[in-house]
């Protein structure tokens, strides 16, 4: 395992996250997960990420790393525990930190990250809370999670931000446009997550899989339509490249992330010892400039394909009749929102209230949801700029 230094921390190139313990990727075997965490430590992983929102994950992580706590870095996230309304008020952040410390069974958190934006709380108030926790020795550093770029800039101007979390893989490259350059310009570290493309880049999928009902990949745009189709082609190219180095596609996917300027850690989310052992092999070697350039050509070509198809996809979803099956209609609308944001057809701030309204239906979708789903479709049509399906977004 290779390490990267950022400020006073020396961080393993491959980090391990506990998101899977929230059930986001289906049911997991907790005993195997604990063995995986122990094995990660043995193989040199010293960066472990979790969140107050990941079910029982803080407790499971805290128990597993107790024997070697002082040798590893623990990152967790604050702002939302349950539900969909983030809270970054000073009182919430201060109390939530105590709760996380208790669940993690530790005296300090190495990196405390703002998980989601809370438009109701001024950035200054949240930073004051985080600085207070730092001064009290409860956290060593603070960083940012899923926040709009404008909010990230505000935090950077008010506080001493250690890092920003971004989704980054060969099938999710948007962060390279704005967030990576912004972080590099401010000497803020970038922690990449979903570096195996939620499994898509590991070569495990040959066609569209059947996920368990609660698996977020059922609604993840990465696993829908043209992005999934394109992702399979990228995974196949990673497999070909890997053969020349004696590496698996997952290892090439991780090495690609580590080759992007400004990355301090590539966070993956295995739930088995075997997957962990494979992913650790993403560190300790490099892709040649020639292979990086060849991949860049492929990604450019795929991006053009995806963008073109996405515009057609959004138009179809917003101007046509929604599918009768409510889960299918729900996934289509999530796809339209996330894709429209990524294409800059609307902003996160503009679409957030509609997204929340839609997301609140998750888990209770049935025939009676139809009118609500159609209302969301109408609202999106006006937000994203369609007039009777005529406007090309
Ligand atoms: N995803 C997010 O929205 C998000 C946001 C902020 C932070 N994070 C943090 O970043 C961490 C990593 O993100 P992620 O969990 O999305 O990463 P990821 O590794 O890209 O995705 C995890 C999925 O990929 C599969 N996988 C991983 N390695 C594999 C391998 N070698 N072979 C086959 N399948 C493999 C896992 O399957 P198995 O379970 O079968 O191993 C799991 O289904 C999270 O755990 C979390 O701590 C995530």
């Amino acid at each position: 395992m290779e390490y990267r230094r950022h400020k006073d921390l020396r961080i393993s190139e491959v980090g391990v996250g506990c998101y899977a313990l929230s059930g986001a990727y289906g049911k997991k075997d907790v005993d195997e997960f604990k063995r995986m965490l122990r094995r990660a430590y043995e193989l040199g992983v010293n960066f472990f990420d979790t969140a107050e929102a990941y079910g029982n994950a803080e407790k499971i992580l805290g128990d597993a790393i107790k024997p070697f706590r002082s040798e590893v870095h623990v990152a967790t996230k604050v702002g939302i525990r349950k539900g969909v309304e983030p809270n970054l008020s000073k009182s919430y952040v201060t109390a939530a930190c105590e709760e996380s410390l208790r669940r993690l069974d530790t005296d300090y958190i190495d990196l405390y990250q703002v998980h989601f934006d809370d438009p109701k709380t001024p950035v200054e108030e949240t930073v004051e809370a985080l600085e207070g926790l730092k001064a009290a020795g409860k956290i060593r550093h603070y960083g940012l999670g899923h926040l709009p770029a404008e909010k990230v800039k505000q935090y950077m101007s008010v506080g001493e931000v250690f890092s920003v979390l971004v989704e980054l893989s060969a099938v999710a490259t948007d962060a390279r446009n704005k967030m990576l350059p912004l972080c590099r310009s401010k000497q803020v570290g970038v922690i990449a997550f979903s570096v195996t493309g939620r499994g898509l880049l590991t070569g495990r999928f040959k066609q569209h899989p059947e996920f368990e009902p609660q698996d977020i990949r059922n609604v993840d745009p990465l696993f829908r339509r043209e992005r999934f189709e394109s992702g399979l082609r990228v995974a196949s190219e990673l497999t070909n490249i890997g053969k020349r180095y004696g590496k698996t596609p997952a290892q090439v996917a991780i090495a690609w992330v580590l080759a992007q300027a400004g990355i301090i850690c590539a966070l993956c989310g295995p739930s088995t010892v075997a997957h962990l052992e494979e992913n650790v092999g993403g560190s300790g070697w490099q892709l040649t400039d020639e292979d990086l350039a060849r991949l860049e050509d492929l990604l450019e070509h795929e991006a053009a394909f995806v963008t073109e198809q996405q515009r057609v996809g959004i138009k179809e979803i917003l101007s046509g009749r929604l599918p009768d099956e409510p889960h299918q209609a729900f996934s289509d609308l999530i796809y339209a929102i996330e894709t429209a944001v990524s294409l800059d057809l609307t902003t996160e701030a503009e679409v957030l209230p509609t997204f929340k309204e839609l997301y609140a239906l998750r888990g209770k979708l049935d025939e009676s949801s139809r009118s609500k789903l159609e209302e969301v479709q109408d609202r999106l049509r006006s937000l994203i700029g369609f007039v009777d399906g005529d406007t090309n977004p």
Side-chain angles (χ1 to χ4, degrees):
M1 175 66 67
E2 301 285 326
Y3 297 83
R4 295 187 178 186
R5 184 162 280 284
H6 183 56
K7 307 207 170 161
D8 60 332
L9 300 193
R10 183 176 164 268
I11 299 176
S12 54
E13 285 193 337
V14 178
V16 167
C18 298
Y19 185 39
L21 290 171
S22 70
Y25 300 130
K27 280 200 191 67
K28 298 296 169 193
D29 174 344
V30 174
D31 291 332
E32 174 67 2
F33 202 95
K34 287 180 185 162
R35 282 191 290 277
M36 181 279 291
L37 291 170
R38 167 89 213 174
R39 185 76 183 124
Y41 162 71
E42 288 166 1
L43 292 174
V45 172
N46 75 355
F47 190 83
F48 294 90
D49 178 76
T50 184
E52 60 170 344
Y54 295 172
N56 223 5
E58 287 185 320
K59 171 97 182 66
I60 293 166
L61 178 65
D63 287 350
I65 63 167
K66 189 124 187 91
F68 44 86
R69 168 66 187 99
S70 62
E71 296 167 63
V72 298
H73 304 312
V74 174
T76 191
K77 308 186 197 77
V78 62
I80 199 160
R81 175 127 172 88
K82 290 211 170 91
V84 289
E85 280 304 329
N87 187 346
L88 295 173
S89 64
K90 187 173 179 189
S91 58
Y92 180 83
V93 171
T94 310
C97 182
E98 289 300 334
E99 291 295 300
S100 284
L101 287 167
R102 187 181 53 74
R103 284 188 294 268
L104 286 161
D105 196 11
T106 185
D107 297 333
Y108 65 98
I109 291 162
D110 297 273
L111 178 62
Y112 202 40
Q113 303 160 108
V114 171
H115 203 165
F116 294 100
D117 187 25
D118 165 13
K120 301 179 302 304
T121 305
V123 166
E124 288 76 6
E125 179 178 334
T126 309
V127 168
E128 193 184 320
L130 294 167
E131 288 290 349
L133 291 168
K134 223 164 113 172
K138 302 201 183 237
I139 65 172
R140 290 176 74 183
H141 296 284
Y142 55 88
L144 307 175
H146 303 266
L147 300 184
E150 284 314 308
K151 268 291 166 75
V152 170
K153 281 187 199 156
Q154 277 184 42
Y155 273 95
M156 285 174 173
S157 66
V158 178
E160 205 186 319
V161 177
F162 179 84
S163 54
V164 172
L165 271 165
V166 301
E167 179 175 359
L168 182 66
S169 74
V171 284
T173 58
D174 284 358
R176 297 198 304 178
N177 303 335
K178 284 189 198 149
M179 210 54 99
L180 264 66
L182 172 64
C183 290
R184 283 198 297 268
S185 73
K186 304 278 183 196
Q187 285 89 48
V188 168
V190 177
I191 299 174
F193 68 83
S194 293
V195 295
T196 78
R198 302 185 176 132
L200 180 51
L201 295 176
T202 63
R204 71 191 276 174
F205 305 120
K206 302 295 173 222
Q207 55 191 23
H208 204 283
E210 269 294 310
F211 294 119
E212 290 172 35
Q214 288 312 310
D215 194 309
I216 49 136
R217 289 171 293 189
N218 286 313
V219 293
D220 184 349
L222 185 53
F223 286 80
R224 307 280 327 277
R225 297 169 174 249
E226 63 288 323
R227 281 192 69 194
F228 184 72
E229 203 186 302
S230 163
L232 288 183
R233 286 194 292 269
V234 175
S236 158
E237 183 58 15
L238 299 188
T239 307
N240 292 337
I241 292 177
K243 282 182 186 149
R244 295 202 293 279
Y245 297 83
K247 303 288 178 192
T248 67
Q251 291 167 339
V252 178
I254 291 169
W256 180 86
V257 169
L258 290 169
Q260 309 305 305
I263 302 299
I264 58 171
C265 182
L267 265 184
C268 57
S271 62
T272 66
V273 170
H275 288 165
L276 175 270
E277 288 178 343
E278 178 180 359
N279 295 355
V280 163
S283 169
W285 63 285
Q286 271 114 38
L287 288 158
T288 61
D289 288 347
E290 201 186 7
D291 279 331
L292 284 170
R294 193 171 307 139
L295 260 173
E296 215 50 62
D297 284 348
L298 173 74
L299 297 188
E300 211 174 289
H301 179 81
E302 290 296 337
F305 163 82
V306 166
T307 305
E308 193 188 313
Q309 295 297 310
Q310 282 177 327
R311 287 174 174 270
V312 175
I314 297 176
K315 188 167 182 165
E316 269 172 20
I317 291 167
L318 297 190
S319 57
R321 180 183 152 78
L322 285 175
D324 290 332
E325 208 290 299
H327 293 91
Q328 183 64 37
F330 175 83
S331 309
D332 277 359
L333 292 169
I334 292 276
Y335 166 94
I337 292 178
E338 297 203 357
T339 309
V341 170
S342 81
L343 292 178
D344 278 337
L345 300 173
T346 180
T347 63
E348 253 178 61
E350 252 178 359
V351 90
L352 194 64
T354 313
F355 178 81
K356 280 186 187 163
E357 205 180 309
L358 176 62
Y359 208 74
L361 298 175
R362 198 178 173 222
K364 39 187 176 193
L365 285 162
D366 58 25
E367 288 312 311
S368 67
S369 319
R370 178 135 200 113
S371 60
K372 194 83 206 160
L373 290 165
E374 281 174 350
E375 257 177 54
V376 168
Q377 184 195 32
D378 274 350
R379 208 155 324 125
L380 290 176
R381 202 180 290 135
S382 49
L383 266 178
I384 296 171
F386 279 94
V387 181
D388 297 325
D390 290 338
T391 311
N392 194 5

